[in-house]
Amino acid sequence: MNKQAKITAVVLMLGAFISVLNQTLINPALPTIMEELHIEATTAQWLVSGFTLVNAIVIAISAFLMDRFRTKQLFLSIFVLFLAGSLLASWGVNFTVLLIGRLLQAICAGIMMPLSMTIILLLFPHEKRGSAMGMYSLVIMVAPAIGPVLAGVLTDKVGWRIMFLVMAVLAGAIILLASLIMKNYGDVKQTTLDKPSFTMASLGLLALLYGFSLLGNISMILTASALVLAGVVILFLFVRRQLSLTQPFLQIKVLGNAQYRNGTIILMLIQASLAAATITLPIYIQTVRGMSATVSGMVMMPGAILGAVFGYFAGKLYDAFGARYVGLFGGFLLLLGSLGMALFDFDTTIGFMTAAYTLRSVGLMLANTPINMWSIKKLPDEILHHGNAVGITLRQVATTLCTAVMVSVMSFASSVYAAKGEIQSQMYGISMTYWLSVVIGLVALILVAVKVKNRKKTVAAVTEAVYELDIAMRADPYTVSCDDNLKQVVEKFIGYKTSGLPIIDAQKHLIGFVSDGDVMRYFTKQDLRFVAEFYSAVIPDTDTLNSKARKLLSMNVMEIASPNAIAVSHDTPLLEVCEIFSRRKINKLPVTQNDILIGTISRGDIMRALMTRLPLGGEDCL
């Protein structure tokens, strides 16, 4: 890797860092912005929900933009927009100017994450991409930890406008560096964008967001209802169009998979539950309690840090315990933290505020990753990127709309209790939003308990009966150890004259299955996919056949095998096994008892059993 490539990677990581940092700066400054610009919370929330909405729409078209334009041209263009947005926001003479600035920043943020990831992975060879991903993730995790504190200190000491001026200076430096050292990566493709779909999605979501933001104003209830209805109708037409297109703007059909649909709904509820804290916590701390923006940042910082740490380990916990138990624990922490915040009053200590917010953040990260991985587990590889795109977009939309709803609820409750005084009525309004988040969190937790199941363990019958599988099952199957490398596996394929083998550990527990199809799949073109919370990236595979062969033979079998092997228990009826062979289009199945491998059964085994046991050619032959 040459010097230019290293500098390019640093510039890209700085660009991604600035993009994420910018998203976390606004919340602690909201109460001060509301006071200086003389706006209500229902208006101020557009600085968060409007940003998230534009971000979601741009993420949905980011793949088209990366295919259609050269990387350097696109990178410089989005940071010019970011610079212009930051300068407008730093001027911030009124709310309209500030909002336009934030929306321009959102366009950059929506493209920057997938674009920077794509270029960084292109810069590194395959064997070093894991290290690159680790460094990239570390940089991204640091930004949310320091953003709220930085925003609080700058707001208290200098003023909120300086935050955006700092962002403008950093954007200018990024533009200068990129224009001097960056070059183009990848190829430009003549792809097309379905403009009617883009228009319908934008208008429908905008109508919904605007309608929900007006619900807190009783005098605007008819207008709000009309906008919500219009948004629903437009989005209904959008969905119908997606289902009829051969190349849809958003692949809605993935929601037909029940496990994916359930997981997406749970993740949307989790994001919605968290939305209450993004705006109302700074308002509670600064407006109701009279504390500084710095205190807001300090209260939020431990949650950001610990959330990032637990988010890093969430994947490992999922591998060890499954989505159900980790998801339940994360959902419980989210609910517990929400209950703590619902108990906030005029005497709540800073320590209690910090603990409650931290529990919510940790719970979110612990639940998000396992449920997300569980939801896409049964999606075929060829539509996995569609599942990621739909899930990311819907979670962003849930955050956006729920933020508007929460603020409207807060405003409505405040107006109902206005006779009790401004501060007291605001406290009632904030408490109402937190109790609403408790309800949403409880629904999410119940759905995890009911819908999310780990892979069921096979249970052996306690009787001495002879099972149907015994007539065809091989009771002493060939196996592969989980410690074998692929050279040993290929030798066993050849020696045993078989195309697939179950993988067992030292205690003969079934832990996977490897087939010659897995080997062939490794040799095929494998584009690298990176999936994160709000984006995904696809990097083309350029390895040669000889290079892949050398790597393959030294790899451990579990690196290419299927870890969640399709297996049948010993007491499974033979007809059901035949159905599995037909439906799943596989040739061999491991047979287990209490998760211990006791045999295998194949299509050929069944055919041989039929030939020897059925009265073919006799009087009873059909």
Side-chain angles (χ1 to χ4, degrees), residues 141-392:
M141 286 192 298
V142 170
I146 67 173
V149 177
L150 177 63
V153 171
L154 290 177
T155 301
D156 287 338
K157 302 299 182 183
V158 188
W160 58 268
R161 288 178 176 84
I162 197 66
M163 298 187 310
F164 297 109
L165 190 58
V166 169
M167 291 293 102
V169 173
L170 293 175
I174 292 293
I175 291 171
L176 179 61
L177 287 172
S179 62
L180 294 175
I181 66 168
M182 184 178 285
K183 64 178 183 179
N184 290 308
Y185 297 91
D187 299 321
V188 175
K189 302 175 184 177
Q190 295 300 318
T191 56
T192 58
L193 176 69
D194 185 45
K195 295 178 182 178
S197 294
F198 175 75
T199 303
M200 285 191 286
S202 302
L203 291 178
L205 291 174
L206 181 62
L208 273 182
L209 177 59
Y210 193 28
F212 282 133
S213 69
L214 294 177
L215 286 176
N217 189 340
I218 298 176
S219 63
M220 299 290 290
I221 193 68
L222 290 178
T223 302
S225 301
L227 285 169
V228 170
L229 179 61
V232 170
V233 171
I234 293 172
L235 290 178
F236 173 75
L237 296 175
F238 168 79
V239 170
R240 285 191 60 183
R241 181 173 178 82
Q242 303 318 294
L243 294 175
S244 64
L245 293 174
T246 55
Q247 292 185 324
F249 178 77
L250 205 59
Q251 185 60 271
I252 303 294
K253 291 180 181 179
V254 295
L255 291 171
N257 182 288
Q259 181 165 313
Y260 174 79
R261 183 173 63 250
N262 292 332
T264 300
I265 292 171
I266 292 169
L267 290 171
M268 291 175 67
L269 289 171
I270 290 172
Q271 292 288 137
S273 177
L274 197 71
T278 59
I279 293 180
T280 54
L281 182 60
I283 294 175
Y284 165 73
I285 293 174
Q286 296 174 56
T287 304
V288 176
R289 297 297 301 279
M291 299 178 184
S292 65
T294 303
V295 173
S296 291
M298 294 298 293
V299 167
M300 300 170 77
M301 183 176 68
I305 295 174
L306 289 178
V309 171
F310 279 90
Y312 175 78
F313 289 107
K316 298 181 184 296
L317 292 172
Y318 166 78
D319 292 336
F321 302 104
R324 177 176 175 82
Y325 299 117
V326 182
L328 283 172
F329 184 61
F332 174 74
L333 291 182
L334 179 64
L335 181 61
L336 190 62
S338 299
L339 281 169
M341 296 183 75
L343 298 176
F344 284 1
D345 56 26
F346 293 104
D347 300 314
T348 303
T349 64
I350 293 177
F352 188 84
M353 296 179 210
T354 304
Y357 183 78
T358 300
L359 279 176
R360 282 167 59 91
S361 299
V362 171
L364 169 74
M365 296 308 297
L366 279 178
N368 248 355
T369 300
I371 299 300
N372 185 39
M373 295 174 72
W374 173 83
S375 69
I376 64 175
K377 186 176 179 180
K378 289 192 175 181
L379 291 181
D381 288 346
E382 59 269 19
I383 64 169
L384 182 61
H385 61 294
H386 291 298
N388 289 326
V390 172
I392 290 167

